[in-house]
Amino acid sequence: MQTLSEREIGVIFWATADPRATLAEYTKLGLRCGQLGIPGDYPLEGAAEAWKSALEACNFRIFTLVGAYAGEDYADIPTVERTVGFIPESTRKERVERTLKISDLAAQLGVPGIGCHVGFVPHDSTAPAYVAVRDEVRRICDHAARYGQTFALETGQEPADVLLRFIKDVDRPNLRINFDPANMILYGTGDPIEALGLLAPHVVTVHCKDGDWPPKGVPGALGTEKPLGQGSVGMERFINKLKEIGYTNPLIIEREIPDQAQRMQDIASAIKLLESLRH
Ligand code: MG
């Protein structure tokens, strides 16, 4: 396995039926590492063999397997609250089971961590959903710990102090944070750079994503994702803060738009921007 540099630039992308072709799209941009998202309907049978050989052939290193779940919808904040992660009770068990299988797949691939959006963590720590999600997160952490893996929560759907209290409450050393500065803005949950300072000891990976705040006067609306450097995060400030907290793991570019050609162009521009900032 190749050695990566400090704050090596990476990308998050989704598993497809053709791992080699998918990886080739990113290696031709000069990328050597990333996070692999596993869609909720992605067949896990045979995935280990297919991805293992493709990753070896492309000399590409995966830091995290990221689980998403069938039935999730990110249309606006109430829809996210209703459909994402382990909050919806009707799908909680099957999504947790799926996450344990993703941890098994990560182990087969030699990937050191897994992650997902667990959904909106309720602010009230006595709420039944809070208790249930906390217990499921413990179960996932314990499963992942047997493989020496971290389990990372994606930031943004709750303010930093709520997330911090949840992490303390779960009380598992391998529970970590995948810090996404744009999410804090898109969900209107607080200044991401301040939040990064607060959450720093728990951060294992970061997303380099940009976005603008939700429109004023539209209840429940999400902000808009932007190409890196064109939103409200302030990439220079973000990367400087990462240096200040001693972060050396990869800078994972995240760009989620349906137009794949535009997405690849935006990723190429993001690489240039990060190259100018990361050292
Ligand atoms: Mg993200």
Side-chain angles (χ1 to χ4, degrees):
M1 205 183 287
Q2 61 185 325
T3 313
L4 301 176
S5 56
E6 284 193 354
R7 293 181 291 279
E8 173 107 10
I9 299 168
V11 64
I12 178 166
F13 59 99
W14 294 91
T16 63
D18 190 344
R20 280 191 198 214
T22 300
L23 288 171
E25 289 198 69
Y26 301 105
T27 54
K28 78 179 174 215
L29 296 176
L31 298 176
R32 308 187 297 166
C33 72
Q35 292 178 319
L36 177 61
I38 308 291
D41 57 359
Y42 190 77
L44 296 180
E45 205 173 320
E49 296 72 17
W51 280 96
K52 203 174 176 56
S53 65
L55 289 165
E56 276 165 18
C58 299
N59 204 15
F60 198 92
R61 196 158 140 197
I62 299 292
F63 255 74
T64 322
L65 290 191
V66 179
Y69 308 100
E72 291 186 315
D73 185 343
Y74 287 84
D76 55 25
I77 292 175
T79 310
V80 172
E81 277 180 322
R82 207 178 60 247
T83 65
V84 169
F86 307 137
I87 299 295
E89 203 183 337
S90 60
T91 51
R92 186 179 294 143
K93 285 288 170 207
E94 70 191 52
R95 288 181 179 181
V96 169
E97 289 307 322
R98 172 95 180 163
T99 311
L100 302 183
K101 290 202 178 95
I102 289 173
S103 166
D104 297 340
L105 175 60
Q108 288 173 286
L109 295 175
V111 169
I114 59 167
C116 74
H117 273 291
V118 296
F120 272 89
V121 174
H123 290 213
D124 173 9
S125 61
T126 61
Y130 181 98
V131 174
V133 172
R134 181 201 62 197
D135 290 351
E136 296 297 359
V137 169
R138 283 181 181 158
R139 189 150 82 93
I140 296 165
C141 284
D142 293 344
H143 185 96
R146 296 209 303 265
Y147 299 123
Q149 297 164 357
T150 52
F151 175 42
L153 306 173
E154 176 92 3
T155 52
Q157 294 169 351
E158 48 282 308
D161 58 329
V162 173
L163 194 63
L164 207 54
R165 193 190 54 191
F166 181 73
I167 288 171
K168 285 194 175 128
D169 228 2
V170 172
D171 193 25
R172 291 295 187 273
N174 62 332
L175 183 62
R176 305 299 288 277
I177 288 170
N178 181 81
F179 188 87
D180 185 326
N183 284 351
M184 313 258 350
I185 289 175
L186 299 175
Y187 289 86
T189 44
D191 176 63
I193 313 304
E194 247 170 65
L196 178 57
L198 202 61
L199 299 170
H202 308 279
V203 172
V204 60
T205 41
V206 298
H207 283 168
C208 292
K209 188 171 82 181
D210 216 336
D212 284 335
W213 295 92
K216 287 201 169 72
V218 189
L222 280 161
T224 312
E225 194 187 319
K226 294 280 185 179
L228 208 69
Q230 295 178 32
S232 303
V233 169
M235 261 320 125
E236 189 170 359
R237 189 170 158 241
F238 177 55
I239 304 298
N240 284 341
K241 186 73 182 177
L242 288 173
K243 291 176 193 168
E244 186 191 311
I245 66 168
Y247 179 86
T248 56
N249 276 346
L251 304 172
I252 305 283
I253 296 166
E254 179 175 28
R255 184 69 174 130
E256 296 291 345
I257 48 170
D259 180 342
Q260 181 62 5
Q262 185 62 51
R263 179 174 172 269
M264 295 309 289
Q265 269 184 38
D266 290 348
I267 290 171
S269 308
I271 293 170
K272 278 204 191 108
L273 175 64
L274 291 175
E275 273 304 345
S276 72
L277 297 173
R278 76 185 181 99
H279 293 293

